[in-house]
Amino acid sequence: MKFTYPKEEKLKSKITIGKLFTEGKSVSKYPLRLVFCATDLGGNQKIKMGVSVSKKNFKKAVDRNYFKRILRETYRLNKHILVNQLDQPYSFMFFYQTKERLTYEEINTKTIQLFEKFIAQNIKKEPKEDSSSNEGANNSI
């Protein structure tokens, strides 16, 4: 898997962003929040991702841009956790929601935990066949 964040994966559509905020669900792992919505992205795209840092928490654009850069980087390095588990296309918005200045390592750890929490709550695993029912079929032959 390539660890990239190409232009095609960036969430830019105002319609899709509006749909995220009206119909989307969210998962949180303090101080990060992931808002998501299943959408039809067309083509072979599985994910559209956007990042946001509140102006209320960081007044200076330099600080907001720093944390957005970190969010994009942690997503880029850990997106395989999401992509390998998704069965349909999703749009995501990734938020940094605190005034605290966490280190890159802390944000990366929280990102992994957030993605795993999303998968645990929202992706239905396919039921595995019982091995006991197969054993009975083998004994009757």
Side-chain angles (χ1 to χ4, degrees):
M1 157 148 237
K2 291 183 179 180
F3 294 103
T4 60
Y5 184 40
K7 187 175 185 178
E8 297 81 38
E9 279 185 24
K10 294 180 179 160
L11 180 61
K12 295 182 179 183
S13 167
K14 287 185 179 184
I15 295 169
T16 307
I17 292 170
K19 185 177 177 184
L20 271 173
F21 289 110
T22 57
E23 302 173 17
K25 299 175 185 173
S26 72
V27 163
S28 295
K29 186 69 180 175
Y30 183 81
L32 303 176
R33 189 171 119 210
L34 188 67
V35 177
F36 60 93
C37 184
T39 55
D40 181 29
L41 300 175
N44 59 356
Q45 286 294 117
K46 279 192 161 184
I47 290 180
K48 289 273 190 185
M49 175 71 81
V51 297
S52 179
V53 178
S54 174
K55 191 173 186 178
K56 182 175 129 183
N57 294 336
F58 296 100
K59 302 294 183 201
K60 295 181 180 176
V62 171
D63 296 330
R64 289 193 304 275
N65 291 339
Y66 171 77
F67 284 103
K68 287 193 286 189
R69 200 166 32 251
I70 288 178
L71 290 178
R72 284 191 296 267
E73 181 68 4
T74 59
Y75 162 72
R76 183 184 72 82
L77 294 174
N78 298 302
K79 75 177 180 179
H80 64 276
I81 296 170
L82 293 174
V83 173
N84 293 339
Q85 299 294 327
L86 295 178
D87 55 347
Q88 63 180 342
Y90 276 89
S91 294
F92 295 102
M93 191 62 124
F94 198 17
F95 294 96
Y96 186 80
Q97 297 186 300
T98 185
K99 290 181 180 182
E100 294 177 43
R101 295 174 176 270
L102 298 179
T103 64
Y104 170 80
E105 291 78 19
E106 292 171 319
I107 294 173
N108 192 41
T109 303
K110 296 288 186 178
T111 301
I112 293 168
Q113 292 171 354
L114 180 68
F115 289 171
E116 289 171 348
K117 185 175 179 181
F118 165 76
I119 290 185
Q121 288 182 1
N122 299 293
I123 306 299
K124 296 174 179 71
K125 301 287 183 188
E126 294 180 16
K128 295 181 180 179
E129 295 180 21
D130 289 335
S131 59
S132 60
S133 63
N134 291 340
E135 290 173 6
N138 291 339
N139 292 342
S140 63
I141 296 177

Coordinates of all heavy atoms in Angstrom, one line a residue, residues 37-110:
C37 N -19.5 9.7 6.8 CA -20.8 9.5 6.1 C -20.5 8.6 4.9 O -19.5 8.8 4.2 CB -21.4 10.8 5.7 SG -23.0 10.6 4.9
A38 N -21.3 7.5 4.7 CA -21.1 6.7 3.5 C -21.6 7.5 2.3 O -22.7 8.0 2.4 CB -21.9 5.4 3.7
T39 N -20.8 7.5 1.3 CA -21.2 8.3 0.1 C -20.8 7.5 -1.2 O -20.0 6.6 -1.1 CB -20.5 9.7 0.1 OG1 -19.1 9.5 0.2 CG2 -21.0 10.6 1.2
D40 N -21.4 8.0 -2.3 CA -21.0 7.4 -3.6 C -20.0 8.4 -4.2 O -20.3 9.5 -4.6 CB -22.2 7.3 -4.5 CG -21.9 6.7 -5.8 OD1 -20.9 5.9 -5.9 OD2 -22.5 7.0 -6.8
L41 N -18.7 7.9 -4.2 CA -17.6 8.8 -4.7 C -17.4 8.6 -6.1 O -16.7 9.4 -6.7 CB -16.4 8.5 -3.8 CG -16.5 8.8 -2.3 CD1 -15.2 8.4 -1.6 CD2 -16.8 10.2 -2.0
G42 N -17.9 7.6 -6.7 CA -17.6 7.3 -8.1 C -16.2 6.7 -8.3 O -15.3 6.9 -7.5
G43 N -16.0 6.0 -9.4 CA -14.7 5.5 -9.7 C -14.3 4.4 -8.7 O -15.2 3.7 -8.1
N44 N -13.0 4.3 -8.4 CA -12.6 3.3 -7.5 C -12.1 3.9 -6.2 O -11.4 3.3 -5.4 CB -11.4 2.4 -8.1 CG -10.2 3.3 -8.5 OD1 -10.3 4.5 -8.4 ND2 -9.2 2.7 -9.0
Q45 N -12.5 5.2 -5.9 CA -12.2 5.8 -4.7 C -12.9 5.2 -3.5 O -14.1 4.9 -3.6 CB -12.6 7.3 -4.7 CG -11.7 8.2 -5.6 CD -10.3 8.2 -5.0 OE1 -9.3 7.8 -5.7 NE2 -10.1 8.8 -3.9
K46 N -12.2 5.0 -2.4 CA -12.8 4.5 -1.2 C -13.0 5.5 -0.1 O -13.8 5.4 0.8 CB -12.0 3.3 -0.6 CG -12.2 2.0 -1.2 CD -11.5 0.9 -0.4 CE -12.1 -0.4 -0.8 NZ -11.5 -1.5 0.1
I47 N -12.1 6.6 -0.2 CA -12.1 7.6 0.9 C -11.9 9.0 0.3 O -11.2 9.2 -0.6 CB -10.9 7.3 1.8 CG1 -11.1 6.0 2.7 CG2 -10.7 8.5 2.8 CD1 -10.0 5.7 3.6
K48 N -12.6 9.9 1.0 CA -12.4 11.3 0.8 C -12.2 11.9 2.2 O -13.0 11.6 3.1 CB -13.6 12.1 0.1 CG -13.7 11.8 -1.3 CD -12.9 12.7 -2.2 CE -13.3 12.5 -3.6 NZ -12.5 13.3 -4.5
M49 N -11.1 12.6 2.4 CA -10.7 13.0 3.8 C -10.4 14.5 3.8 O -9.7 15.0 2.9 CB -9.5 12.2 4.3 CG -9.0 12.7 5.6 SD -10.0 12.3 7.0 CE -9.5 10.6 7.3
G50 N -11.0 15.2 4.8 CA -10.7 16.6 5.0 C -10.2 16.8 6.5 O -10.5 15.9 7.3
V51 N -9.5 17.8 6.7 CA -9.0 18.1 8.1 C -9.4 19.5 8.5 O -9.6 20.4 7.7 CB -7.5 17.9 8.3 CG1 -7.1 16.5 8.0 CG2 -6.7 18.9 7.4
S52 N -9.6 19.7 9.8 CA -10.0 21.0 10.3 C -9.5 21.2 11.7 O -9.4 20.3 12.5 CB -11.5 21.1 10.3 OG -11.9 22.4 10.8
V53 N -9.0 22.5 11.9 CA -8.6 22.9 13.3 C -9.3 24.2 13.6 O -9.3 25.1 12.7 CB -7.1 23.1 13.3 CG1 -6.6 23.6 14.7 CG2 -6.3 21.8 13.0
S54 N -9.9 24.3 14.7 CA -10.8 25.4 15.1 C -10.0 26.7 15.3 O -9.0 26.8 15.9 CB -11.5 25.1 16.4 OG -12.3 26.2 16.8
K55 N -10.6 27.8 14.7 CA -10.0 29.1 14.9 C -10.2 29.6 16.3 O -9.5 30.4 16.8 CB -10.7 30.1 13.9 CG -10.0 31.4 13.8 CD -10.7 32.2 12.6 CE -9.9 33.5 12.4 NZ -10.5 34.2 11.3
K56 N -11.2 29.0 16.9 CA -11.5 29.4 18.3 C -10.4 28.9 19.2 O -10.0 29.6 20.2 CB -12.8 28.7 18.8 CG -13.3 29.0 20.2 CD -14.6 28.3 20.4 CE -14.6 27.5 21.6 NZ -15.9 26.8 21.9
N57 N -9.8 27.7 18.9 CA -8.7 27.2 19.8 C -7.3 27.8 19.4 O -6.5 27.9 20.3 CB -8.7 25.7 19.7 CG -9.9 25.1 20.3 OD1 -10.6 25.7 21.1 ND2 -10.3 23.9 19.8
F58 N -7.1 28.0 18.1 CA -5.8 28.6 17.7 C -6.1 29.8 16.8 O -6.5 29.7 15.7 CB -5.1 27.5 16.9 CG -4.7 26.3 17.7 CD1 -5.4 25.1 17.6 CD2 -3.6 26.3 18.5 CE1 -5.1 24.0 18.3 CE2 -3.3 25.2 19.3 CZ -4.0 24.1 19.2
K59 N -5.8 31.0 17.4 CA -6.1 32.2 16.7 C -5.2 32.5 15.5 O -5.6 33.0 14.5 CB -5.9 33.4 17.7 CG -6.8 33.3 18.9 CD -8.3 33.4 18.6 CE -9.1 33.4 19.8 NZ -10.5 33.0 19.6
K60 N -3.9 32.0 15.6 CA -3.0 32.3 14.6 C -3.0 31.2 13.5 O -3.0 30.0 13.8 CB -1.5 32.4 15.1 CG -1.3 33.5 16.1 CD 0.1 33.5 16.6 CE 0.3 34.7 17.5 NZ 1.6 34.7 18.1
A61 N -3.1 31.6 12.2 CA -3.2 30.7 11.1 C -1.9 29.8 11.1 O -2.1 28.6 10.7 CB -3.3 31.5 9.8
V62 N -0.8 30.3 11.5 CA 0.4 29.4 11.6 C 0.2 28.2 12.5 O 0.6 27.1 12.1 CB 1.6 30.3 12.1 CG1 2.8 29.4 12.4 CG2 1.9 31.4 11.2
D63 N -0.5 28.4 13.6 CA -0.7 27.3 14.5 C -1.7 26.3 13.9 O -1.6 25.1 14.0 CB -1.2 27.8 15.9 CG -0.2 28.6 16.6 OD1 1.1 28.4 16.4 OD2 -0.5 29.6 17.3
R64 N -2.8 26.9 13.3 CA -3.8 26.0 12.7 C -3.2 25.2 11.6 O -3.5 24.0 11.5 CB -5.0 26.8 12.2 CG -5.9 27.4 13.3 CD -7.2 28.0 12.7 NE -7.0 29.0 11.6 CZ -6.8 30.3 11.8 NH1 -6.7 30.7 13.1 NH2 -6.7 31.1 10.8
N65 N -2.4 25.8 10.8 CA -1.8 25.1 9.6 C -0.8 24.0 10.1 O -0.8 23.0 9.5 CB -1.0 26.1 8.7 CG -2.0 27.0 8.0 OD1 -3.2 26.7 7.8 ND2 -1.5 28.1 7.5
Y66 N -0.1 24.3 11.2 CA 0.8 23.3 11.8 C 0.0 22.0 12.2 O 0.4 20.9 11.8 CB 1.5 23.9 13.0 CG 2.3 22.9 13.8 CD1 3.5 22.4 13.3 CD2 1.8 22.3 15.0 CE1 4.3 21.5 14.0 CE2 2.5 21.4 15.7 CZ 3.8 21.0 15.2 OH 4.5 20.0 15.9
F67 N -1.1 22.2 12.9 CA -1.9 21.0 13.3 C -2.6 20.3 12.2 O -2.8 19.1 12.2 CB -2.8 21.4 14.5 CG -2.1 21.5 15.8 CD1 -1.8 22.8 16.3 CD2 -1.6 20.4 16.5 CE1 -1.1 22.9 17.5 CE2 -0.9 20.5 17.6 CZ -0.7 21.8 18.2
K68 N -3.0 21.1 11.2 CA -3.6 20.5 10.0 C -2.6 19.6 9.3 O -2.9 18.5 8.8 CB -4.2 21.5 9.1 CG -5.5 22.2 9.6 CD -6.2 23.0 8.5 CE -5.5 24.3 8.2 NZ -6.3 25.1 7.4
R69 N -1.4 20.1 9.2 CA -0.3 19.4 8.6 C 0.0 18.1 9.3 O 0.1 17.0 8.7 CB 1.0 20.3 8.5 CG 2.0 19.8 7.5 CD 3.0 20.9 7.2 NE 3.5 21.7 8.3 CZ 3.2 23.0 8.4 NH1 2.5 23.6 7.5 NH2 3.6 23.7 9.4
I70 N 0.0 18.1 10.6 CA 0.2 16.9 11.4 C -1.0 16.0 11.2 O -0.8 14.7 11.1 CB 0.3 17.3 12.9 CG1 1.7 17.9 13.1 CG2 0.2 16.1 13.8 CD1 2.0 18.4 14.5
L71 N -2.2 16.4 11.2 CA -3.4 15.6 11.0 C -3.3 14.9 9.6 O -3.6 13.7 9.5 CB -4.7 16.3 11.1 CG -5.1 16.8 12.5 CD1 -6.4 17.7 12.4 CD2 -5.3 15.7 13.5
R72 N -2.9 15.6 8.6 CA -2.8 15.0 7.3 C -1.7 13.9 7.3 O -1.9 12.9 6.6 CB -2.5 16.1 6.2 CG -3.8 16.9 5.8 CD -3.5 17.7 4.6 NE -2.5 18.8 4.8 CZ -2.8 20.0 5.2 NH1 -4.0 20.4 5.4 NH2 -1.8 20.9 5.4
E73 N -0.6 14.2 7.9 CA 0.5 13.3 8.0 C 0.1 12.0 8.7 O 0.4 10.9 8.3 CB 1.7 13.9 8.6 CG 2.9 13.1 8.7 CD 3.6 12.7 7.3 OE1 3.1 13.3 6.3 OE2 4.5 11.9 7.3
T74 N -0.6 12.1 9.9 CA -0.9 10.9 10.6 C -2.0 10.1 9.8 O -2.0 8.9 9.9 CB -1.5 11.3 12.0 OG1 -2.6 12.2 11.9 CG2 -0.4 11.9 12.9
Y75 N -2.9 10.8 9.1 CA -3.8 10.1 8.3 C -3.1 9.4 7.2 O -3.3 8.2 6.9 CB -4.8 11.1 7.7 CG -5.5 10.5 6.5 CD1 -6.5 9.5 6.6 CD2 -5.2 10.9 5.2 CE1 -7.1 8.9 5.5 CE2 -5.8 10.3 4.1 CZ -6.8 9.4 4.2 OH -7.4 8.8 3.1
R76 N -2.2 10.0 6.5 CA -1.4 9.5 5.4 C -0.7 8.2 5.8 O -0.7 7.2 5.1 CB -0.4 10.5 4.9 CG 0.4 10.0 3.7 CD 1.4 11.0 3.3 NE 2.5 11.1 4.2 CZ 3.6 10.3 4.2 NH1 3.6 9.3 3.3 NH2 4.6 10.4 5.0
L77 N -0.1 8.2 7.0 CA 0.7 7.0 7.5 C -0.2 5.9 8.0 O 0.2 4.8 8.1 CB 1.7 7.5 8.5 CG 2.8 8.4 8.0 CD1 3.6 8.9 9.1 CD2 3.6 7.7 6.9
N78 N -1.4 6.2 8.4 CA -2.3 5.2 9.1 C -3.6 4.9 8.3 O -4.4 4.2 8.8 CB -2.6 5.7 10.5 CG -1.4 5.8 11.3 OD1 -0.7 4.9 11.5 ND2 -1.2 7.0 11.8
K79 N -3.7 5.5 7.1 CA -5.0 5.2 6.3 C -5.2 3.8 6.0 O -6.3 3.4 5.7 CB -5.0 6.1 5.1 CG -4.2 5.7 4.0 CD -4.4 6.7 2.8 CE -3.5 6.3 1.6 NZ -3.7 7.1 0.5
H80 N -4.1 3.0 5.9 CA -4.3 1.6 5.6 C -5.2 0.9 6.6 O -5.9 -0.1 6.2 CB -2.9 0.9 5.6 CG -2.2 0.9 6.9 ND1 -1.5 1.9 7.3 CD2 -2.2 -0.1 7.9 CE1 -1.0 1.6 8.5 NE2 -1.4 0.4 8.9
I81 N -5.3 1.4 7.8 CA -6.2 0.8 8.8 C -7.6 0.9 8.3 O -8.4 0.0 8.5 CB -6.0 1.5 10.2 CG1 -4.6 1.3 10.7 CG2 -7.0 1.1 11.2 CD1 -4.3 2.2 11.9
L82 N -8.0 2.1 7.8 CA -9.3 2.3 7.2 C -9.5 1.6 5.9 O -10.5 0.9 5.7 CB -9.6 3.8 7.1 CG -9.6 4.6 8.3 CD1 -9.7 6.1 8.0 CD2 -10.8 4.2 9.2
V83 N -8.6 1.8 5.0 CA -8.9 1.4 3.6 C -9.0 -0.2 3.5 O -9.9 -0.7 2.8 CB -7.7 1.8 2.7 CG1 -7.8 1.2 1.3 CG2 -7.7 3.3 2.6
N84 N -8.3 -0.9 4.3 CA -8.3 -2.4 4.3 C -9.6 -2.9 4.8 O -10.0 -4.0 4.5 CB -7.1 -3.0 5.0 CG -5.8 -2.7 4.3 OD1 -5.8 -2.4 3.1 ND2 -4.7 -2.7 5.1
Q85 N -10.4 -2.1 5.6 CA -11.6 -2.6 6.3 C -12.9 -2.1 5.6 O -13.9 -2.6 5.9 CB -11.6 -2.2 7.7 CG -10.4 -2.7 8.5 CD -10.5 -4.3 8.7 OE1 -11.6 -4.8 8.8 NE2 -9.4 -4.9 8.7
L86 N -12.8 -1.1 4.8 CA -14.0 -0.5 4.2 C -14.5 -1.3 3.1 O -13.8 -1.8 2.2 CB -13.7 0.9 3.7 CG -13.3 2.0 4.7 CD1 -13.0 3.3 4.1 CD2 -14.4 2.1 5.8
D87 N -15.9 -1.5 3.1 CA -16.5 -2.2 2.0 C -17.3 -1.3 1.1 O -17.8 -1.7 0.1 CB -17.5 -3.3 2.6 CG -18.5 -2.7 3.6 OD1 -18.3 -1.6 4.0 OD2 -19.4 -3.4 3.9
Q88 N -17.4 0.0 1.5 CA -18.1 1.0 0.7 C -17.4 2.3 0.8 O -16.6 2.5 1.8 CB -19.6 1.1 1.1 CG -19.8 1.6 2.5 CD -21.3 1.7 2.8 OE1 -22.1 1.8 1.9 NE2 -21.6 1.7 4.1
P89 N -17.6 3.2 -0.1 CA -16.9 4.5 0.0 C -17.4 5.4 1.2 O -18.6 5.4 1.4 CB -17.2 5.2 -1.3 CG -17.7 4.1 -2.2 CD -18.3 3.1 -1.4
Y90 N -16.5 6.1 1.8 CA -16.8 7.0 2.9 C -16.2 8.3 2.7 O -15.1 8.4 2.1 CB -16.3 6.4 4.2 CG -17.2 5.4 4.9 CD1 -17.1 4.1 4.6 CD2 -18.1 5.8 5.8 CE1 -17.9 3.1 5.2 CE2 -18.9 4.9 6.5 CZ -18.8 3.6 6.2 OH -19.6 2.7 6.8
S91 N -16.8 9.4 3.2 CA -16.2 10.7 3.3 C -16.0 10.9 4.8 O -16.8 10.6 5.6 CB -17.2 11.8 2.8 OG -17.4 11.6 1.4
F92 N -14.8 11.5 5.1 CA -14.4 11.8 6.5 C -14.0 13.2 6.6 O -13.5 13.8 5.7 CB -13.2 10.9 6.9 CG -13.5 9.5 6.9 CD1 -13.0 8.7 5.8 CD2 -14.1 8.9 8.0 CE1 -13.2 7.3 5.8 CE2 -14.3 7.5 8.0 CZ -13.9 6.7 6.9
M93 N -14.3 13.8 7.8 CA -13.7 15.0 8.2 C -13.0 14.8 9.6 O -13.6 14.2 10.5 CB -14.8 16.1 8.4 CG -14.3 17.5 8.5 SD -13.3 18.0 7.1 CE -14.2 19.5 6.7
F94 N -11.8 15.2 9.7 CA -10.9 14.9 10.8 C -10.6 16.2 11.6 O -10.2 17.2 11.0 CB -9.6 14.3 10.2 CG -8.7 13.6 11.1 CD1 -9.2 13.1 12.3 CD2 -7.4 13.3 10.7 CE1 -8.3 12.4 13.1 CE2 -6.6 12.6 11.5 CZ -7.0 12.1 12.7
F95 N -11.0 16.2 12.8 CA -10.9 17.5 13.6 C -9.9 17.3 14.8 O -9.8 16.3 15.4 CB -12.3 17.8 14.3 CG -13.3 18.2 13.3 CD1 -14.2 17.2 12.9 CD2 -13.4 19.5 12.8 CE1 -15.2 17.5 12.0 CE2 -14.4 19.8 11.9 CZ -15.3 18.8 11.5
Y96 N -9.2 18.4 15.1 CA -8.4 18.6 16.2 C -9.1 19.5 17.2 O -9.3 20.7 16.8 CB -7.0 19.1 15.9 CG -6.0 19.2 17.0 CD1 -5.3 18.0 17.4 CD2 -5.8 20.3 17.7 CE1 -4.4 18.1 18.4 CE2 -4.8 20.4 18.7 CZ -4.2 19.2 19.1 OH -3.2 19.3 20.1
Q97 N -9.6 19.1 18.4 CA -10.5 19.8 19.2 C -10.0 20.2 20.5 O -10.8 20.1 21.5 CB -11.8 19.0 19.3 CG -12.5 18.7 18.1 CD -13.8 18.1 18.3 OE1 -13.8 17.0 18.9 NE2 -14.9 18.7 17.9
T98 N -8.8 20.7 20.7 CA -8.4 21.2 22.0 C -7.4 22.3 21.8 O -6.8 22.5 20.7 CB -7.7 20.0 22.8 OG1 -7.4 20.5 24.0 CG2 -6.5 19.5 22.1
K99 N -7.2 23.1 22.9 CA -6.2 24.1 22.9 C -4.8 23.6 23.2 O -3.8 24.2 23.1 CB -6.6 25.2 23.9 CG -7.8 26.0 23.4 CD -8.1 27.1 24.4 CE -9.3 27.9 24.0 NZ -9.6 29.0 24.9
E100 N -4.8 22.3 23.8 CA -3.5 21.7 24.1 C -2.7 21.5 22.9 O -3.2 21.2 21.8 CB -3.8 20.4 24.8 CG -4.5 20.4 26.1 CD -4.7 19.1 26.7 OE1 -3.8 18.2 26.6 OE2 -5.9 18.8 27.2
R101 N -1.4 21.6 23.1 CA -0.4 21.4 22.0 C 0.2 20.1 22.2 O 1.3 19.9 22.8 CB 0.6 22.5 21.9 CG 0.0 23.9 21.6 CD 1.0 25.0 21.7 NE 0.4 26.2 21.3 CZ 0.4 26.7 20.1 NH1 1.0 26.0 19.1 NH2 -0.1 27.8 19.8
L102 N -0.5 19.0 21.6 CA 0.1 17.7 21.8 C 1.2 17.5 20.8 O 1.3 18.1 19.7 CB -1.0 16.6 21.5 CG -2.2 16.6 22.4 CD1 -3.2 15.6 22.0 CD2 -1.8 16.4 23.8
T103 N 2.1 16.6 21.1 CA 3.2 16.2 20.2 C 2.8 15.4 19.1 O 1.7 14.8 19.1 CB 4.3 15.5 21.0 OG1 3.8 14.2 21.4 CG2 4.8 16.3 22.2
Y104 N 3.6 15.3 18.1 CA 3.3 14.5 16.9 C 3.0 13.0 17.3 O 2.1 12.4 16.9 CB 4.4 14.5 15.9 CG 4.2 13.5 14.8 CD1 3.4 13.8 13.7 CD2 4.9 12.3 14.8 CE1 3.2 12.9 12.7 CE2 4.7 11.4 13.8 CZ 3.8 11.6 12.8 OH 3.6 10.7 11.8
E105 N 3.8 12.5 18.2 CA 3.7 11.1 18.6 C 2.4 10.9 19.3 O 1.7 9.8 19.1 CB 4.9 10.7 19.6 CG 6.2 10.6 18.9 CD 6.9 11.9 18.6 OE1 6.5 12.9 19.3 OE2 7.8 12.0 17.8
E106 N 2.0 11.8 20.2 CA 0.7 11.7 20.9 C -0.5 11.7 19.9 O -1.4 10.9 20.0 CB 0.5 12.8 21.9 CG 1.5 12.7 23.1 CD 1.4 13.9 24.0 OE1 1.4 15.0 23.5 OE2 1.5 13.7 25.2
I107 N -0.4 12.6 18.9 CA -1.5 12.7 17.9 C -1.5 11.5 17.0 O -2.6 11.0 16.7 CB -1.3 14.0 17.1 CG1 -1.5 15.2 17.9 CG2 -2.3 14.0 15.9 CD1 -1.2 16.5 17.3
N108 N -0.4 10.9 16.7 CA -0.3 9.7 15.9 C -0.9 8.6 16.6 O -1.7 7.8 16.1 CB 1.1 9.4 15.5 CG 1.2 8.4 14.4 OD1 0.5 8.3 13.5 ND2 2.2 7.5 14.6
T109 N -0.6 8.4 17.9 CA -1.2 7.3 18.7 C -2.7 7.5 18.8 O -3.4 6.5 18.6 CB -0.6 7.4 20.1 OG1 0.8 7.2 20.0 CG2 -1.1 6.2 21.0
K110 N -3.2 8.7 19.0 CA -4.6 8.9 19.1 C -5.3 8.7 17.8 O -6.5 8.2 17.7 CB -4.9 10.4 19.6 CG -4.4 10.7 21.0 CD -5.3 10.0 22.0 CE -4.8 10.5 23.4 NZ -5.7 10.0 24.4

